[in-house]
Amino acid sequence: MKLKPARMLSEVLTHLFKKPATSGYPFEKARVTARFRGRIDFDSGKCIGCQMCVRVCPSKAIEIPLSEEQFAAPPVQQGQPAVPAKKQFDCIMKLGSCVYCWQCAETCPKHALITTQDFELAQIDPSKLVRHYK
Amino acid sequence: MSKITIPLGPQHPALKEPENFMLVLEGEQIENATINLGYNHRGMEKAAEERTFIQNMYLLERVCGICSHSHTTCYVTNVEEAAKAEVPERALAIRVLVGELERVHSHLLWLGVAAYEIGFETLFMYTWRDREQVLDCLELLSGNRVHYSINTIGGVRRDITPEQKNEVLKRINFLEERTKYYIKVATEEPTVRARAANVGKLPYEVALERGAVGPTARASGVKRDVRKDAPYLLYDKLDFNLITHDSCDVFGRVVVRALELMESYKLIKQVLNYLPEGPLTVKVPPRIAPAEVVNLYEAPRGEDIHYLKTNGTDKPERLKVRAPTLANLQSVTYMLEGGWLADVPLVIAAIDPCMSCTDRAMVYDRKTDKTQVYDWEDLRRLGIEAYKRKGVDFSKF
Ligand code: SF4
Ligand code: SF4
């Protein structure tokens, strides 16, 4: 095969007139695509406490405990059996363990886990990585 | 001249991951090389036995950061085979697409690393800049640049829209032009030729004898590619060439990978234009009846093997991963012996090693503070003894 020295020269010279390929993050906002998997948010009103998300999570990053505050049962209607109050659940999310696979959100039968595209989640204080959603 | 033995690694600027090479030198020339593994063991196979099949998807994705799709596809094919599930063709096509995009990103990454080891940093910068295009494609389709998580048991998690198809095609066309240029650079630039030709020789017979796989084998003229030899997914329906080179050295490995990039672009375009209509997943029950399955997958580095044994529960009884680097390490010692000390980083980099995928186990005795390496005979003996305790006698075989 024929050898051509300085094959790169013209290419290198054209790069003198090109914009840098790197972006100016953090001064410039970084873009993510519409399908990017970020932090999981929680809607307590929808959760029924079935614990499916806890069982399916590969990194044990999510816990669904019973909330401290519970609503009182609705007043008993005449002639109707008493209806118990809907139980309230919290969500404890360990952002440091989560691998952002969204498997929990896909498994949740009530769509109580809300997917977001937050990715700037780094913390200096590790305790802040555990979020308690109520 | 007296011989000296020097350790290269486990911590060494030329190595990206901890592994150790004991080199016996006579002057500058390597007389003997031994590889010691075990610095990166993560206990993944054992961890997999403690997790459900769906959780293992995300665990096995992390066997390797570069070929994450290879490992999950191989694993998920095993699970589906054990559960006797028929995966829809659209899902298979999307798996092929992501698999080929992954090959492109891995080969471009390797081209950059090789250029860097050669000392050709301009090429390194260019290839890595262009690699961003394929990483963007992957993020667009799957949601992530590295751990795509596109597979799920019974199919794939995300569909491809027509806009995404056009976007991917646009970027692939751009990369095709760039790759044509890199092929010219790699084959015509005297620097690359001078540094890589006749370095790390692995003749055809030795490559066969030592069981080399992937681009390492193909650069020694061995026609070996799982996509051709035992087609999986949709590869038997797609048209692509098996690239080989007969220079048997690092230069050949550069050329094979660069030309394979062109084949991958071809495959990506075929799949994007094929994409059969249909559902993305089939339902697979969480508990899988007892079965034993083995599957192969052509990862960017070579043949990847997964073994799975199920026992009727929702967790595997045993899972075994044989990463391609392990198969190629036998050839590395051959390539190093007789070569020069200064070539070592280049020769090691030329198989595109991925040590953390490869590492399996090392025995450390806390009482005596000793580490121990078992050879094949020891493992066989220990295995027979362990089964004897369970009431099965294998010693007759
Ligand atoms: S995104 Fe994945 S790792 Fe994170 S909490 Fe959900 S299931 Fe667990
Ligand atoms: S978040 Fe969803 S899956 Fe988790 S406990 Fe609540 S309802 Fe069940």
Side-chain angles (χ1 to χ4, degrees):
Chain A
M1 213 172 282
K2 220 167 73 231
L3 291 184
K4 288 189 188 160
R7 179 90 239 178
M8 302 285 280
L9 194 60
S10 58
E11 176 81 14
V12 172
L13 289 178
T14 58
H15 275 77
L16 287 176
F17 306 102
K18 278 194 183 159
K19 272 204 308 199
T22 45
S23 78
Y25 186 79
F27 306 108
E28 211 176 276
K29 201 146 174 46
R31 288 165 292 119
V32 289
T33 58
R35 286 185 174 182
F36 176 78
R37 291 188 296 268
R39 181 177 64 89
I40 298 276
D41 214 338
F42 178 66
D43 181 350
S44 176
K46 287 186 184 164
C47 177
I48 52 165
C50 67
Q51 306 283 333
M52 296 243 294
C53 53
V54 178
R55 254 175 281 139
V56 83
C57 175
S59 55
K60 301 193 175 77
I62 188 167
E63 278 170 40
I64 306 280
L66 215 53
S67 307
E68 270 176 23
E69 277 174 48
Q70 296 289 345
F71 292 137
V76 182
Q77 306 280 332
Q78 226 159 25
Q80 304 267 331
V83 190
K86 182 191 168 294
K87 281 193 189 141
Q88 292 293 306
F89 293 92
D90 285 4
C91 170
I92 299 173
M93 188 66 133
K94 297 184 204 110
L95 293 181
S97 309
C98 179
V99 295
Y100 303 94
C101 60
W102 283 12
Q103 186 62 48
C104 51
E106 275 175 28
T107 309
C108 177
K110 295 287 167 194
H111 305 287
L113 294 165
I114 306 156
T115 56
T116 74
Q117 300 198 316
D118 294 0
F119 62 94
E120 287 163 320
L121 302 168
Q123 294 287 356
I124 292 177
D125 175 5
S127 67
K128 288 200 183 129
L129 281 172
V130 181
R131 301 235 176 138
H132 194 145
Y133 305 121
K134 293 189 179 170
Chain B
M1 202 186 293
S2 67
K3 287 175 196 158
I4 52 165
T5 309
I6 62 157
L8 189 89
Q11 267 78 40
H12 190 276
L15 307 171
K16 270 96 204 156
E17 290 165 283
E19 63 262 6
N20 168 260
F21 295 84
M22 290 308 260
L23 306 172
V24 180
L25 293 179
E26 176 137 20
E28 280 284 296
Q29 209 160 17
I30 299 162
E31 197 160 81
N32 190 294
T34 344
I35 300 177
N36 294 313
L37 291 172
Y39 298 93
N40 245 341
H41 179 54
R42 293 172 295 170
M44 280 216 170
E45 289 173 2
K46 195 70 195 160
E49 292 169 17
E50 306 292 315
R51 284 170 170 75
T52 60
F53 289 110
I54 189 82
Q55 289 175 329
N56 276 330
M57 286 277 321
Y58 303 103
L59 177 72
L60 288 175
E61 190 157 51
R62 283 152 181 84
V63 167
C64 179
I66 312 282
C67 32
S68 60
H69 186 72
S70 311
H71 286 285
T72 52
T73 308
C74 203
Y75 162 73
V76 94
T77 317
N78 268 343
V79 175
E80 284 154 2
E81 217 174 289
K84 303 196 178 59
E86 278 285 329
V87 184
E89 195 152 303
R90 189 172 178 89
L92 296 182
I94 295 176
R95 282 184 191 167
V96 173
L97 176 67
V98 176
E100 288 308 312
L101 285 170
E102 176 180 85
R103 194 180 316 278
V104 171
H105 112 71
S106 174
H107 279 6
L108 280 174
L109 173 123
W110 180 84
L111 212 58
V113 172
Y116 180 79
E117 298 290 358
I118 288 171
F120 197 169
E121 292 198 19
T122 324
L123 185 60
F124 160 59
M125 296 282 178
Y126 286 177
T127 47
W128 278 44
R129 180 197 60 195
D130 295 338
R131 178 173 163 258
E132 285 301 308
Q133 298 290 334
V134 57
L135 290 177
D136 285 350
C137 287
L138 284 165
E139 188 182 334
L140 190 75
L141 298 179
S142 72
N144 257 354
R145 285 158 55 93
V146 177
H147 290 308
Y148 329 114
S149 302
I150 193 127
N151 283 330
T152 188
I153 294 172
V156 292
R157 293 170 76 192
R158 292 179 173 200
D159 203 359
I160 293 172
T161 62
E163 300 84 66
Q164 285 173 336
K165 177 184 154 185
N166 292 340
E167 187 66 32
V168 172
L169 279 177
K170 205 176 83 194
R171 288 168 197 264
I172 292 300
N173 285 336
F174 167 80
L175 279 176
E176 208 170 340
E177 285 311 306
R178 294 297 302 172
T179 307
K180 279 186 194 147
Y181 172 69
Y182 294 137
I183 293 174
K184 277 204 189 116
V185 172
T187 51
E188 293 176 6
E189 246 284 339
T191 337
V192 179
R193 181 69 74 95
R195 186 69 188 88
N198 290 321
V199 173
K201 277 283 200 188
L202 183 73
Y204 176 79
E205 295 75 31
V206 184
L208 275 186
E209 182 191 295
R210 303 210 167 198
V213 293
T216 312
R218 294 196 281 275
S220 294
V222 183
K223 285 201 171 64
R224 187 176 279 172
D225 187 325
V226 186
R227 292 175 295 171
K228 285 277 187 209
D229 301 339
Y232 52 94
L233 301 178
L234 291 179
Y235 282 108
D236 47 350
K237 291 188 188 160
L238 301 168
D239 165 43
F240 66 103
N241 297 325
L242 201 160
I243 307 285
T244 55
H245 200 271
D246 45 18
S247 70
C248 307
D249 53 9
V250 175
F251 178 71
R253 283 161 222 151
V254 177
V255 176
V256 163
R257 286 193 177 90
L259 293 176
E260 270 182 16
L261 280 172
M262 298 305 284
E263 295 303 314
S264 286
Y265 300 144
K266 213 162 92 185
L267 280 168
I268 291 167
K269 286 184 188 167
Q270 279 176 46
V271 174
L272 277 175
N273 291 325
Y274 172 64
L275 277 187
E277 291 299 324
L280 287 182
T281 48
V282 287
K283 247 194 136 32
V284 178
R287 287 168 207 284
I288 296 177
E292 258 183 298
V293 261
V294 177
N295 256 301
L296 313 177
Y297 184 101
E298 183 72 21
R301 288 158 185 74
E303 178 191 54
D304 179 26
I305 308 176
H306 277 226
Y307 163 82
L308 177 76
K309 187 171 177 202
T310 54
N311 57 4
T313 65
D314 58 353
K315 292 175 184 150
E317 164 122 355
R318 175 83 174 96
L319 183 97
K320 166 86 195 134
V321 181
R322 204 291 318 262
T325 302
L326 190 67
N328 277 336
L329 279 176
Q330 332 298 334
S331 312
V332 172
T333 46
Y334 183 90
M335 294 184 220
L336 289 175
E337 280 160 18
W340 304 95
L341 181 59
D343 292 339
V344 173
L346 183 60
V347 171
I348 296 174
I351 68 155
D352 203 359
C354 197
M355 296 299 173
S356 51
C357 320
T358 295
D359 263 3
R360 286 300 164 259
M362 181 170 74
V363 179
Y364 173 69
D365 191 342
R366 287 233 304 261
K367 282 187 221 115
T368 56
D369 196 20
K370 258 191 202 146
T371 55
Q372 193 176 354
V373 178
Y374 289 111
D375 65 11
W376 181 245
E377 281 304 315
D378 293 333
L379 285 176
R380 195 180 131 80
R381 183 174 45 76
L382 286 169
I384 289 173
E385 279 169 15
Y387 273 102
K388 235 184 207 158
R389 282 196 295 275
K390 286 189 193 169
V392 191
D393 193 358
F394 278 122
S395 53
K396 288 192 271 316
F397 298 116

